[in-house]
Amino acid sequence: IWYALCGFLAVPHARLPARSLVVIGLALQAVAFAYYTKFPVSETDAPILWRATPDAYDGVAAILLGSLEGQIVARLEAARYYMLDLFVLGGVWIDTLGTMLLGMALLKTGFLGGGLSVKRYGILAATGLGVASVYYLLRPFLDPEKPTQVLVLSVAGYAHRFGGALFWSALVLAAVGAGWRGARIAAVGRAAFTVYILQSVIGLLLFSNLGFGLFGQLSLSELMVVVLVTWGCFLVAAPYWLRYFRFGPLEWVWRSLTYGARQPLRR
């Protein structure tokens, strides 16, 4: 939802040159960072489903293993917090828009289209990894109780975020440039909406009272098995589906709604 709403704000900038997009995108990131620093969103005030604190465990378990009505009420409250407290009041829309403009700049420079050499992608990947690593190098030496050091850690966190994004994207594009096609991953990407929703459905069926109610009952290694099996199923199912159909099922529904007419589905 965030991306859809910010997309309306991003589209008018599409004709700007890459340099202008970078300047505006970085300026928005600076504004967002200053806003986050001045008006931080308190996690203690967040709905139980949004808290990552240890004391939230029992409350989350009570919701997921409780009634359907309780789950719906809790998720509506979480959605209100997501859209109002975080997106609007929390300034996330500024951050999201700035990131989108930077992505649009990367597309115009040829980076996202595979327009650079494998060597250059390798250099950018190494640079991104170096920038991202600063956060982990600094974190053990900084005191979270001292405001100045917290600010340094926050800046390092931003560097980690964008450095990590540069590392992974450059690494994948370098691999593609070297001949790797990643057909199965590409197929999952083409059915991303369906896969995204299916992950939530699978999670609810496995871990909530709507299905097997396994919340809190699996070890970390057992959870990793769930992840790998789920991913494996998607990597097998998506290419098979797209062999016979043009889009994923939810992509087809959304496309038909977008154009106001039933779109062709079968190949």
Side-chain angles (χ1 to χ4, degrees):
I1 297 175
W2 287 355
Y3 300 158
L5 294 175
C6 284
F8 285 107
L9 301 176
V11 165
H13 299 81
R15 296 187 182 277
L16 293 177
R19 188 185 299 272
S20 299
L21 289 169
V22 169
V23 171
I24 299 172
L26 290 177
L28 287 170
Q29 286 298 321
V31 170
F33 181 79
Y35 189 89
Y36 292 156
T37 304
K38 183 69 175 177
F39 305 105
V41 176
S42 173
E43 191 171 293
T44 56
D45 297 331
I48 192 73
L49 290 179
W50 269 93
R51 292 183 210 163
T53 52
D55 61 323
Y57 175 87
D58 291 336
V60 173
I63 292 169
L64 291 181
L65 301 179
S67 66
L68 175 60
E69 180 185 358
Q71 290 196 44
I72 292 173
V73 170
R75 291 186 184 282
L76 287 174
E77 174 61 14
R80 181 206 58 76
Y81 175 80
Y82 178 80
M83 288 305 303
L84 182 61
D85 293 34
L86 288 183
F87 183 69
V88 179
L89 302 179
V92 169
W93 70 272
I94 307 171
D95 185 351
T96 305
L97 178 59
T99 305
M100 280 188 169
L101 296 184
L102 292 174
M104 290 160 66
L106 288 175
L107 183 64
K108 291 204 171 195
T109 60
F111 175 88
L112 290 178
L116 308 183
S117 66
V118 174
K119 180 180 179 181
R120 184 162 293 183
Y121 280 123
I123 292 172
L124 289 172
T127 302
L129 182 61
V131 171
S133 299
V134 171
Y135 175 77
Y136 294 105
L137 294 174
L138 289 178
R139 191 168 63 173
F141 304 102
L142 296 178
D143 186 352
E145 301 298 324
K146 296 181 178 179
T148 304
Q149 296 191 25
V150 169
L151 182 62
V152 172
L153 194 61
S154 298
V155 173
Y158 250 61
H160 169 265
R161 173 184 170 196
F162 287 101
L166 178 62
F167 168 69
W168 286 111
S169 54
L171 191 67
V172 169
L173 288 162
V176 171
W180 177 66
R181 290 293 169 256
R184 291 188 179 275
I185 295 176
V188 172
R190 288 175 57 200
F193 184 23
T194 299
V195 168
Y196 192 73
I197 298 301
L198 268 178
Q199 287 181 115
S200 293
V201 172
I202 291 169
L204 282 171
L205 290 176
L206 286 177
F207 302 111
S208 80
N209 221 24
L210 303 179
F212 296 97
L214 295 176
F215 182 82
Q217 297 186 36
L218 301 183
S219 66
L220 181 58
S221 58
E222 289 170 333
L223 288 169
M224 288 305 299
V225 171
V226 172
V227 171
L228 293 174
V229 169
T230 304
W231 286 0
C233 290
F234 289 144
L235 289 170
V236 170
Y240 183 79
W241 175 274
L242 291 173
R243 190 183 304 167
Y244 301 101
F245 301 99
R246 294 174 182 269
F247 319 105
L250 291 185
E251 283 77 7
W252 173 73
V253 171
W254 204 253
R255 200 177 185 90
S256 297
L257 290 171
T258 298
Y259 291 103
R262 183 188 178 94
Q263 299 295 299
L265 179 59
R266 286 190 173 275
R267 286 193 173 280

mmCIF file with all atom_site columns, all heavy atoms in Angstrom, residues 22-38 94-95 98-99 102 158 161-162:
data_model
loop_
_atom_site.group_PDB
_atom_site.id
_atom_site.type_symbol
_atom_site.label_atom_id
_atom_site.label_alt_id
_atom_site.label_comp_id
_atom_site.label_asym_id
_atom_site.label_entity_id
_atom_site.label_seq_id
_atom_site.pdbx_PDB_ins_code
_atom_site.Cartn_x
_atom_site.Cartn_y
_atom_site.Cartn_z
_atom_site.occupancy
_atom_site.B_iso_or_equiv
_atom_site.pdbx_formal_charge
_atom_site.auth_seq_id
_atom_site.auth_comp_id
_atom_site.auth_asym_id
_atom_site.auth_atom_id
_atom_site.pdbx_PDB_model_num
ATOM 1   N N   . VAL A 1 22  ? 18.590 11.772 -8.374 1.00 0.00 ? 22  VAL A N   1
ATOM 2   C CA  . VAL A 1 22  ? 19.502 11.460 -7.269 1.00 0.00 ? 22  VAL A CA  1
ATOM 3   C C   . VAL A 1 22  ? 19.490 12.584 -6.241 1.00 0.00 ? 22  VAL A C   1
ATOM 4   O O   . VAL A 1 22  ? 19.400 12.337 -5.026 1.00 0.00 ? 22  VAL A O   1
ATOM 5   C CB  . VAL A 1 22  ? 20.936 11.224 -7.792 1.00 0.00 ? 22  VAL A CB  1
ATOM 6   C CG1 . VAL A 1 22  ? 21.931 11.175 -6.634 1.00 0.00 ? 22  VAL A CG1 1
ATOM 7   C CG2 . VAL A 1 22  ? 21.001 9.933  -8.583 1.00 0.00 ? 22  VAL A CG2 1
ATOM 8   N N   . VAL A 1 23  ? 19.570 13.833 -6.709 1.00 0.00 ? 23  VAL A N   1
ATOM 9   C CA  . VAL A 1 23  ? 19.595 14.982 -5.796 1.00 0.00 ? 23  VAL A CA  1
ATOM 10  C C   . VAL A 1 23  ? 18.314 15.040 -4.966 1.00 0.00 ? 23  VAL A C   1
ATOM 11  O O   . VAL A 1 23  ? 18.351 15.185 -3.737 1.00 0.00 ? 23  VAL A O   1
ATOM 12  C CB  . VAL A 1 23  ? 19.788 16.289 -6.587 1.00 0.00 ? 23  VAL A CB  1
ATOM 13  C CG1 . VAL A 1 23  ? 19.582 17.496 -5.670 1.00 0.00 ? 23  VAL A CG1 1
ATOM 14  C CG2 . VAL A 1 23  ? 21.177 16.332 -7.207 1.00 0.00 ? 23  VAL A CG2 1
ATOM 15  N N   . ILE A 1 24  ? 17.162 14.913 -5.642 1.00 0.00 ? 24  ILE A N   1
ATOM 16  C CA  . ILE A 1 24  ? 15.879 14.976 -4.921 1.00 0.00 ? 24  ILE A CA  1
ATOM 17  C C   . ILE A 1 24  ? 15.732 13.780 -3.990 1.00 0.00 ? 24  ILE A C   1
ATOM 18  O O   . ILE A 1 24  ? 15.280 13.911 -2.844 1.00 0.00 ? 24  ILE A O   1
ATOM 19  C CB  . ILE A 1 24  ? 14.705 15.037 -5.918 1.00 0.00 ? 24  ILE A CB  1
ATOM 20  C CG1 . ILE A 1 24  ? 14.801 16.283 -6.783 1.00 0.00 ? 24  ILE A CG1 1
ATOM 21  C CG2 . ILE A 1 24  ? 13.368 15.032 -5.164 1.00 0.00 ? 24  ILE A CG2 1
ATOM 22  C CD1 . ILE A 1 24  ? 13.795 16.321 -7.919 1.00 0.00 ? 24  ILE A CD1 1
ATOM 23  N N   . GLY A 1 25  ? 16.118 12.592 -4.482 1.00 0.00 ? 25  GLY A N   1
ATOM 24  C CA  . GLY A 1 25  ? 16.001 11.379 -3.668 1.00 0.00 ? 25  GLY A CA  1
ATOM 25  C C   . GLY A 1 25  ? 16.839 11.461 -2.408 1.00 0.00 ? 25  GLY A C   1
ATOM 26  O O   . GLY A 1 25  ? 16.372 11.122 -1.316 1.00 0.00 ? 25  GLY A O   1
ATOM 27  N N   . LEU A 1 26  ? 18.083 11.938 -2.533 1.00 0.00 ? 26  LEU A N   1
ATOM 28  C CA  . LEU A 1 26  ? 18.952 12.065 -1.361 1.00 0.00 ? 26  LEU A CA  1
ATOM 29  C C   . LEU A 1 26  ? 18.441 13.144 -0.409 1.00 0.00 ? 26  LEU A C   1
ATOM 30  O O   . LEU A 1 26  ? 18.531 12.999 0.813  1.00 0.00 ? 26  LEU A O   1
ATOM 31  C CB  . LEU A 1 26  ? 20.380 12.377 -1.803 1.00 0.00 ? 26  LEU A CB  1
ATOM 32  C CG  . LEU A 1 26  ? 21.125 11.236 -2.506 1.00 0.00 ? 26  LEU A CG  1
ATOM 33  C CD1 . LEU A 1 26  ? 22.496 11.701 -2.965 1.00 0.00 ? 26  LEU A CD1 1
ATOM 34  C CD2 . LEU A 1 26  ? 21.253 10.023 -1.600 1.00 0.00 ? 26  LEU A CD2 1
ATOM 35  N N   . ALA A 1 27  ? 17.904 14.231 -0.971 1.00 0.00 ? 27  ALA A N   1
ATOM 36  C CA  . ALA A 1 27  ? 17.346 15.295 -0.129 1.00 0.00 ? 27  ALA A CA  1
ATOM 37  C C   . ALA A 1 27  ? 16.168 14.768 0.693  1.00 0.00 ? 27  ALA A C   1
ATOM 38  O O   . ALA A 1 27  ? 16.048 15.051 1.890  1.00 0.00 ? 27  ALA A O   1
ATOM 39  C CB  . ALA A 1 27  ? 16.908 16.471 -0.999 1.00 0.00 ? 27  ALA A CB  1
ATOM 40  N N   . LEU A 1 28  ? 15.308 13.981 0.060  1.00 0.00 ? 28  LEU A N   1
ATOM 41  C CA  . LEU A 1 28  ? 14.174 13.393 0.776  1.00 0.00 ? 28  LEU A CA  1
ATOM 42  C C   . LEU A 1 28  ? 14.651 12.426 1.852  1.00 0.00 ? 28  LEU A C   1
ATOM 43  O O   . LEU A 1 28  ? 14.071 12.358 2.942  1.00 0.00 ? 28  LEU A O   1
ATOM 44  C CB  . LEU A 1 28  ? 13.235 12.688 -0.210 1.00 0.00 ? 28  LEU A CB  1
ATOM 45  C CG  . LEU A 1 28  ? 12.386 13.604 -1.095 1.00 0.00 ? 28  LEU A CG  1
ATOM 46  C CD1 . LEU A 1 28  ? 11.682 12.800 -2.183 1.00 0.00 ? 28  LEU A CD1 1
ATOM 47  C CD2 . LEU A 1 28  ? 11.365 14.368 -0.255 1.00 0.00 ? 28  LEU A CD2 1
ATOM 48  N N   . GLN A 1 29  ? 15.707 11.665 1.560  1.00 0.00 ? 29  GLN A N   1
ATOM 49  C CA  . GLN A 1 29  ? 16.253 10.758 2.561  1.00 0.00 ? 29  GLN A CA  1
ATOM 50  C C   . GLN A 1 29  ? 16.792 11.536 3.763  1.00 0.00 ? 29  GLN A C   1
ATOM 51  O O   . GLN A 1 29  ? 16.617 11.114 4.911  1.00 0.00 ? 29  GLN A O   1
ATOM 52  C CB  . GLN A 1 29  ? 17.370 9.904  1.948  1.00 0.00 ? 29  GLN A CB  1
ATOM 53  C CG  . GLN A 1 29  ? 16.882 8.812  1.017  1.00 0.00 ? 29  GLN A CG  1
ATOM 54  C CD  . GLN A 1 29  ? 16.001 7.811  1.731  1.00 0.00 ? 29  GLN A CD  1
ATOM 55  O OE1 . GLN A 1 29  ? 16.236 7.443  2.871  1.00 0.00 ? 29  GLN A OE1 1
ATOM 56  N NE2 . GLN A 1 29  ? 14.960 7.366  1.047  1.00 0.00 ? 29  GLN A NE2 1
ATOM 57  N N   . ALA A 1 30  ? 17.444 12.670 3.493  1.00 0.00 ? 30  ALA A N   1
ATOM 58  C CA  . ALA A 1 30  ? 17.957 13.492 4.590  1.00 0.00 ? 30  ALA A CA  1
ATOM 59  C C   . ALA A 1 30  ? 16.814 14.040 5.437  1.00 0.00 ? 30  ALA A C   1
ATOM 60  O O   . ALA A 1 30  ? 16.884 14.058 6.679  1.00 0.00 ? 30  ALA A O   1
ATOM 61  C CB  . ALA A 1 30  ? 18.802 14.636 4.016  1.00 0.00 ? 30  ALA A CB  1
ATOM 62  N N   . VAL A 1 31  ? 15.750 14.482 4.780  1.00 0.00 ? 31  VAL A N   1
ATOM 63  C CA  . VAL A 1 31  ? 14.578 14.999 5.501  1.00 0.00 ? 31  VAL A CA  1
ATOM 64  C C   . VAL A 1 31  ? 13.962 13.877 6.341  1.00 0.00 ? 31  VAL A C   1
ATOM 65  O O   . VAL A 1 31  ? 13.613 14.079 7.517  1.00 0.00 ? 31  VAL A O   1
ATOM 66  C CB  . VAL A 1 31  ? 13.542 15.558 4.514  1.00 0.00 ? 31  VAL A CB  1
ATOM 67  C CG1 . VAL A 1 31  ? 12.227 15.879 5.238  1.00 0.00 ? 31  VAL A CG1 1
ATOM 68  C CG2 . VAL A 1 31  ? 14.079 16.814 3.837  1.00 0.00 ? 31  VAL A CG2 1
ATOM 69  N N   . ALA A 1 32  ? 13.831 12.690 5.735  1.00 0.00 ? 32  ALA A N   1
ATOM 70  C CA  . ALA A 1 32  ? 13.242 11.556 6.459  1.00 0.00 ? 32  ALA A CA  1
ATOM 71  C C   . ALA A 1 32  ? 14.079 11.192 7.678  1.00 0.00 ? 32  ALA A C   1
ATOM 72  O O   . ALA A 1 32  ? 13.549 10.946 8.768  1.00 0.00 ? 32  ALA A O   1
ATOM 73  C CB  . ALA A 1 32  ? 13.114 10.355 5.519  1.00 0.00 ? 32  ALA A CB  1
ATOM 74  N N   . PHE A 1 33  ? 15.400 11.181 7.507  1.00 0.00 ? 33  PHE A N   1
ATOM 75  C CA  . PHE A 1 33  ? 16.287 10.839 8.626  1.00 0.00 ? 33  PHE A CA  1
ATOM 76  C C   . PHE A 1 33  ? 16.157 11.853 9.755  1.00 0.00 ? 33  PHE A C   1
ATOM 77  O O   . PHE A 1 33  ? 16.055 11.488 10.926 1.00 0.00 ? 33  PHE A O   1
ATOM 78  C CB  . PHE A 1 33  ? 17.738 10.772 8.143  1.00 0.00 ? 33  PHE A CB  1
ATOM 79  C CG  . PHE A 1 33  ? 18.712 10.414 9.218  1.00 0.00 ? 33  PHE A CG  1
ATOM 80  C CD1 . PHE A 1 33  ? 18.864 9.101  9.620  1.00 0.00 ? 33  PHE A CD1 1
ATOM 81  C CD2 . PHE A 1 33  ? 19.472 11.394 9.853  1.00 0.00 ? 33  PHE A CD2 1
ATOM 82  C CE1 . PHE A 1 33  ? 19.754 8.758  10.630 1.00 0.00 ? 33  PHE A CE1 1
ATOM 83  C CE2 . PHE A 1 33  ? 20.357 11.068 10.861 1.00 0.00 ? 33  PHE A CE2 1
ATOM 84  C CZ  . PHE A 1 33  ? 20.508 9.735  11.244 1.00 0.00 ? 33  PHE A CZ  1
ATOM 85  N N   . ALA A 1 34  ? 16.127 13.132 9.380  1.00 0.00 ? 34  ALA A N   1
ATOM 86  C CA  . ALA A 1 34  ? 15.970 14.184 10.395 1.00 0.00 ? 34  ALA A CA  1
ATOM 87  C C   . ALA A 1 34  ? 14.626 14.060 11.097 1.00 0.00 ? 34  ALA A C   1
ATOM 88  O O   . ALA A 1 34  ? 14.525 14.236 12.321 1.00 0.00 ? 34  ALA A O   1
ATOM 89  C CB  . ALA A 1 34  ? 16.108 15.557 9.737  1.00 0.00 ? 34  ALA A CB  1
ATOM 90  N N   . TYR A 1 35  ? 13.599 13.723 10.339 1.00 0.00 ? 35  TYR A N   1
ATOM 91  C CA  . TYR A 1 35  ? 12.250 13.588 10.907 1.00 0.00 ? 35  TYR A CA  1
ATOM 92  C C   . TYR A 1 35  ? 12.201 12.404 11.865 1.00 0.00 ? 35  TYR A C   1
ATOM 93  O O   . TYR A 1 35  ? 11.652 12.502 12.971 1.00 0.00 ? 35  TYR A O   1
ATOM 94  C CB  . TYR A 1 35  ? 11.245 13.408 9.782  1.00 0.00 ? 35  TYR A CB  1
ATOM 95  C CG  . TYR A 1 35  ? 9.801  13.469 10.228 1.00 0.00 ? 35  TYR A CG  1
ATOM 96  C CD1 . TYR A 1 35  ? 9.122  14.680 10.274 1.00 0.00 ? 35  TYR A CD1 1
ATOM 97  C CD2 . TYR A 1 35  ? 9.117  12.319 10.609 1.00 0.00 ? 35  TYR A CD2 1
ATOM 98  C CE1 . TYR A 1 35  ? 7.804  14.753 10.695 1.00 0.00 ? 35  TYR A CE1 1
ATOM 99  C CE2 . TYR A 1 35  ? 7.803  12.373 11.030 1.00 0.00 ? 35  TYR A CE2 1
ATOM 100 C CZ  . TYR A 1 35  ? 7.143  13.588 11.071 1.00 0.00 ? 35  TYR A CZ  1
ATOM 101 O OH  . TYR A 1 35  ? 5.845  13.644 11.498 1.00 0.00 ? 35  TYR A OH  1
ATOM 102 N N   . TYR A 1 36  ? 12.789 11.267 11.442 1.00 0.00 ? 36  TYR A N   1
ATOM 103 C CA  . TYR A 1 36  ? 12.830 10.083 12.323 1.00 0.00 ? 36  TYR A CA  1
ATOM 104 C C   . TYR A 1 36  ? 13.556 10.398 13.624 1.00 0.00 ? 36  TYR A C   1
ATOM 105 O O   . TYR A 1 36  ? 13.165 9.945  14.707 1.00 0.00 ? 36  TYR A O   1
ATOM 106 C CB  . TYR A 1 36  ? 13.563 8.928  11.644 1.00 0.00 ? 36  TYR A CB  1
ATOM 107 C CG  . TYR A 1 36  ? 12.863 8.312  10.458 1.00 0.00 ? 36  TYR A CG  1
ATOM 108 C CD1 . TYR A 1 36  ? 13.585 7.637  9.483  1.00 0.00 ? 36  TYR A CD1 1
ATOM 109 C CD2 . TYR A 1 36  ? 11.482 8.382  10.306 1.00 0.00 ? 36  TYR A CD2 1
ATOM 110 C CE1 . TYR A 1 36  ? 12.958 7.059  8.391  1.00 0.00 ? 36  TYR A CE1 1
ATOM 111 C CE2 . TYR A 1 36  ? 10.843 7.821  9.225  1.00 0.00 ? 36  TYR A CE2 1
ATOM 112 C CZ  . TYR A 1 36  ? 11.590 7.158  8.265  1.00 0.00 ? 36  TYR A CZ  1
ATOM 113 O OH  . TYR A 1 36  ? 10.964 6.588  7.203  1.00 0.00 ? 36  TYR A OH  1
ATOM 114 N N   . THR A 1 37  ? 14.649 11.167 13.505 1.00 0.00 ? 37  THR A N   1
ATOM 115 C CA  . THR A 1 37  ? 15.461 11.485 14.679 1.00 0.00 ? 37  THR A CA  1
ATOM 116 C C   . THR A 1 37  ? 14.714 12.415 15.637 1.00 0.00 ? 37  THR A C   1
ATOM 117 O O   . THR A 1 37  ? 14.767 12.250 16.853 1.00 0.00 ? 37  THR A O   1
ATOM 118 C CB  . THR A 1 37  ? 16.790 12.138 14.243 1.00 0.00 ? 37  THR A CB  1
ATOM 119 O OG1 . THR A 1 37  ? 17.465 11.270 13.317 1.00 0.00 ? 37  THR A OG1 1
ATOM 120 C CG2 . THR A 1 37  ? 17.688 12.388 15.436 1.00 0.00 ? 37  THR A CG2 1
ATOM 121 N N   . LYS A 1 38  ? 13.991 13.387 15.052 1.00 0.00 ? 38  LYS A N   1
ATOM 122 C CA  . LYS A 1 38  ? 13.287 14.376 15.873 1.00 0.00 ? 38  LYS A CA  1
ATOM 123 C C   . LYS A 1 38  ? 11.992 13.805 16.447 1.00 0.00 ? 38  LYS A C   1
ATOM 124 O O   . LYS A 1 38  ? 11.624 14.092 17.592 1.00 0.00 ? 38  LYS A O   1
ATOM 125 C CB  . LYS A 1 38  ? 12.973 15.614 15.012 1.00 0.00 ? 38  LYS A CB  1
ATOM 126 C CG  . LYS A 1 38  ? 12.302 16.751 15.753 1.00 0.00 ? 38  LYS A CG  1
ATOM 127 C CD  . LYS A 1 38  ? 13.228 17.411 16.741 1.00 0.00 ? 38  LYS A CD  1
ATOM 128 C CE  . LYS A 1 38  ? 12.570 18.623 17.392 1.00 0.00 ? 38  LYS A CE  1
ATOM 129 N NZ  . LYS A 1 38  ? 13.426 19.251 18.418 1.00 0.00 ? 38  LYS A NZ  1
ATOM 130 N N   . ILE A 1 94  ? 7.947  9.930  3.127  1.00 0.00 ? 94  ILE A N   1
ATOM 131 C CA  . ILE A 1 94  ? 9.078  10.715 2.637  1.00 0.00 ? 94  ILE A CA  1
ATOM 132 C C   . ILE A 1 94  ? 10.235 9.782  2.286  1.00 0.00 ? 94  ILE A C   1
ATOM 133 O O   . ILE A 1 94  ? 10.855 9.897  1.220  1.00 0.00 ? 94  ILE A O   1
ATOM 134 C CB  . ILE A 1 94  ? 9.532  11.737 3.693  1.00 0.00 ? 94  ILE A CB  1
ATOM 135 C CG1 . ILE A 1 94  ? 8.355  12.592 4.171  1.00 0.00 ? 94  ILE A CG1 1
ATOM 136 C CG2 . ILE A 1 94  ? 10.652 12.622 3.152  1.00 0.00 ? 94  ILE A CG2 1
ATOM 137 C CD1 . ILE A 1 94  ? 8.688  13.482 5.363  1.00 0.00 ? 94  ILE A CD1 1
ATOM 138 N N   . ASP A 1 95  ? 10.518 8.869  3.190  1.00 0.00 ? 95  ASP A N   1
ATOM 139 C CA  . ASP A 1 95  ? 11.572 7.877  2.995  1.00 0.00 ? 95  ASP A CA  1
ATOM 140 C C   . ASP A 1 95  ? 11.297 7.033  1.751  1.00 0.00 ? 95  ASP A C   1
ATOM 141 O O   . ASP A 1 95  ? 12.166 6.832  0.895  1.00 0.00 ? 95  ASP A O   1
ATOM 142 C CB  . ASP A 1 95  ? 11.634 6.997  4.250  1.00 0.00 ? 95  ASP A CB  1
ATOM 143 C CG  . ASP A 1 95  ? 12.776 6.007  4.217  1.00 0.00 ? 95  ASP A CG  1
ATOM 144 O OD1 . ASP A 1 95  ? 13.425 5.855  3.171  1.00 0.00 ? 95  ASP A OD1 1
ATOM 145 O OD2 . ASP A 1 95  ? 13.016 5.367  5.252  1.00 0.00 ? 95  ASP A OD2 1
ATOM 146 N N   . GLY A 1 98  ? 11.645 8.996  -1.527 1.00 0.00 ? 98  GLY A N   1
ATOM 147 C CA  . GLY A 1 98  ? 13.056 9.236  -1.817 1.00 0.00 ? 98  GLY A CA  1
ATOM 148 C C   . GLY A 1 98  ? 13.749 8.002  -2.360 1.00 0.00 ? 98  GLY A C   1
ATOM 149 O O   . GLY A 1 98  ? 14.537 8.077  -3.317 1.00 0.00 ? 98  GLY A O   1
ATOM 150 N N   . THR A 1 99  ? 13.440 6.850  -1.783 1.00 0.00 ? 99  THR A N   1
ATOM 151 C CA  . THR A 1 99  ? 14.034 5.593  -2.245 1.00 0.00 ? 99  THR A CA  1
ATOM 152 C C   . THR A 1 99  ? 13.572 5.275  -3.666 1.00 0.00 ? 99  THR A C   1
ATOM 153 O O   . THR A 1 99  ? 14.355 4.809  -4.503 1.00 0.00 ? 99  THR A O   1
ATOM 154 C CB  . THR A 1 99  ? 13.656 4.448  -1.296 1.00 0.00 ? 99  THR A CB  1
ATOM 155 O OG1 . THR A 1 99  ? 14.032 4.799  0.034  1.00 0.00 ? 99  THR A OG1 1
ATOM 156 C CG2 . THR A 1 99  ? 14.356 3.160  -1.685 1.00 0.00 ? 99  THR A CG2 1
ATOM 157 N N   . LEU A 1 102 ? 15.487 7.345  -6.170 1.00 0.00 ? 102 LEU A N   1
ATOM 158 C CA  . LEU A 1 102 ? 16.839 6.815  -6.355 1.00 0.00 ? 102 LEU A CA  1
ATOM 159 C C   . LEU A 1 102 ? 16.811 5.582  -7.263 1.00 0.00 ? 102 LEU A C   1
ATOM 160 O O   . LEU A 1 102 ? 17.698 5.398  -8.113 1.00 0.00 ? 102 LEU A O   1
ATOM 161 C CB  . LEU A 1 102 ? 17.457 6.464  -4.993 1.00 0.00 ? 102 LEU A CB  1
ATOM 162 C CG  . LEU A 1 102 ? 17.772 7.644  -4.078 1.00 0.00 ? 102 LEU A CG  1
ATOM 163 C CD1 . LEU A 1 102 ? 18.231 7.158  -2.716 1.00 0.00 ? 102 LEU A CD1 1
ATOM 164 C CD2 . LEU A 1 102 ? 18.842 8.541  -4.703 1.00 0.00 ? 102 LEU A CD2 1
ATOM 165 N N   . TYR A 1 158 ? 21.674 3.646  8.253  1.00 0.00 ? 158 TYR A N   1
ATOM 166 C CA  . TYR A 1 158 ? 21.287 4.089  6.908  1.00 0.00 ? 158 TYR A CA  1
ATOM 167 C C   . TYR A 1 158 ? 22.302 3.614  5.875  1.00 0.00 ? 158 TYR A C   1
ATOM 168 O O   . TYR A 1 158 ? 21.949 3.164  4.785  1.00 0.00 ? 158 TYR A O   1
ATOM 169 C CB  . TYR A 1 158 ? 21.183 5.616  6.885  1.00 0.00 ? 158 TYR A CB  1
ATOM 170 C CG  . TYR A 1 158 ? 19.770 6.119  6.764  1.00 0.00 ? 158 TYR A CG  1
ATOM 171 C CD1 . TYR A 1 158 ? 18.815 5.827  7.725  1.00 0.00 ? 158 TYR A CD1 1
ATOM 172 C CD2 . TYR A 1 158 ? 19.387 6.882  5.674  1.00 0.00 ? 158 TYR A CD2 1
ATOM 173 C CE1 . TYR A 1 158 ? 17.522 6.304  7.619  1.00 0.00 ? 158 TYR A CE1 1
ATOM 174 C CE2 . TYR A 1 158 ? 18.087 7.363  5.551  1.00 0.00 ? 158 TYR A CE2 1
ATOM 175 C CZ  . TYR A 1 158 ? 17.163 7.062  6.536  1.00 0.00 ? 158 TYR A CZ  1
ATOM 176 O OH  . TYR A 1 158 ? 15.874 7.518  6.413  1.00 0.00 ? 158 TYR A OH  1
ATOM 177 N N   . ARG A 1 161 ? 21.814 0.012  5.210  1.00 0.00 ? 161 ARG A N   1
ATOM 178 C CA  . ARG A 1 161 ? 20.613 -0.237 4.402  1.00 0.00 ? 161 ARG A CA  1
ATOM 179 C C   . ARG A 1 161 ? 20.889 -0.040 2.911  1.00 0.00 ? 161 ARG A C   1
ATOM 180 O O   . ARG A 1 161 ? 20.610 -0.915 2.093  1.00 0.00 ? 161 ARG A O   1
ATOM 181 C CB  . ARG A 1 161 ? 19.518 0.707  4.887  1.00 0.00 ? 161 ARG A CB  1
ATOM 182 C CG  . ARG A 1 161 ? 18.257 0.724  4.072  1.00 0.00 ? 161 ARG A CG  1
ATOM 183 C CD  . ARG A 1 161 ? 17.338 1.791  4.645  1.00 0.00 ? 161 ARG A CD  1
ATOM 184 N NE  . ARG A 1 161 ? 16.210 2.046  3.785  1.00 0.00 ? 161 ARG A NE  1
ATOM 185 C CZ  . ARG A 1 161 ? 15.442 3.122  3.886  1.00 0.00 ? 161 ARG A CZ  1
ATOM 186 N NH1 . ARG A 1 161 ? 15.688 4.011  4.813  1.00 0.00 ? 161 ARG A NH1 1
ATOM 187 N NH2 . ARG A 1 161 ? 14.417 3.292  3.079  1.00 0.00 ? 161 ARG A NH2 1
ATOM 188 N N   . PHE A 1 162 ? 21.465 1.107  2.558  1.00 0.00 ? 162 PHE A N   1
ATOM 189 C CA  . PHE A 1 162 ? 21.693 1.397  1.144  1.00 0.00 ? 162 PHE A CA  1
ATOM 190 C C   . PHE A 1 162 ? 22.912 0.656  0.600  1.00 0.00 ? 162 PHE A C   1
ATOM 191 O O   . PHE A 1 162 ? 22.923 0.244  -0.562 1.00 0.00 ? 162 PHE A O   1
ATOM 192 C CB  . PHE A 1 162 ? 21.815 2.904  0.928  1.00 0.00 ? 162 PHE A CB  1
ATOM 193 C CG  . PHE A 1 162 ? 20.501 3.611  1.055  1.00 0.00 ? 162 PHE A CG  1
ATOM 194 C CD1 . PHE A 1 162 ? 20.167 4.289  2.211  1.00 0.00 ? 162 PHE A CD1 1
ATOM 195 C CD2 . PHE A 1 162 ? 19.588 3.582  0.020  1.00 0.00 ? 162 PHE A CD2 1
ATOM 196 C CE1 . PHE A 1 162 ? 18.946 4.932  2.338  1.00 0.00 ? 162 PHE A CE1 1
ATOM 197 C CE2 . PHE A 1 162 ? 18.351 4.215  0.130  1.00 0.00 ? 162 PHE A CE2 1
ATOM 198 C CZ  . PHE A 1 162 ? 18.030 4.888  1.297  1.00 0.00 ? 162 PHE A CZ  1
#
